[in-house]
Amino acid sequence: MDAKISAPASATPFVEVTRSRDPAAVAATEFEAAYLGSVFSNMLEHALPNPAGGHGEEMFRGVLASALAQEVAEAGGIGIAGSIEARIKEYTK
């Protein structure tokens, strides 16, 4: 039995969501990505290395952490960006 999950017809396409023109939203998403980058970097630092990975794997862990963080933040994150965006808008009224 194949179950397919699809987005509702009213869902905004991913590209439009991530390319918000609102400076507060962009700054909040960037802040969340920076925070998540730190979290993922710490997580990957303590992950067991792949024996086949070698020095190259160690070199690119930071790049992987950054890429993961950016993707997670742009896909809705973990809830930090919404709070930060609200505070930014309070201060810029």
Side-chain angles (χ1 to χ4, degrees), residues 19-37:
R19 302 205 188 277
S20 172
R21 299 284 184 213
D22 182 13
V26 170
T29 301
E30 288 175 359
F31 177 85
E32 185 167 21
Y35 171 75
L36 288 172

Side-chain angles (χ1 to χ4, degrees), residues 6 38 58 63:
S6 60
S38 176
E58 288 179 34
V63 174

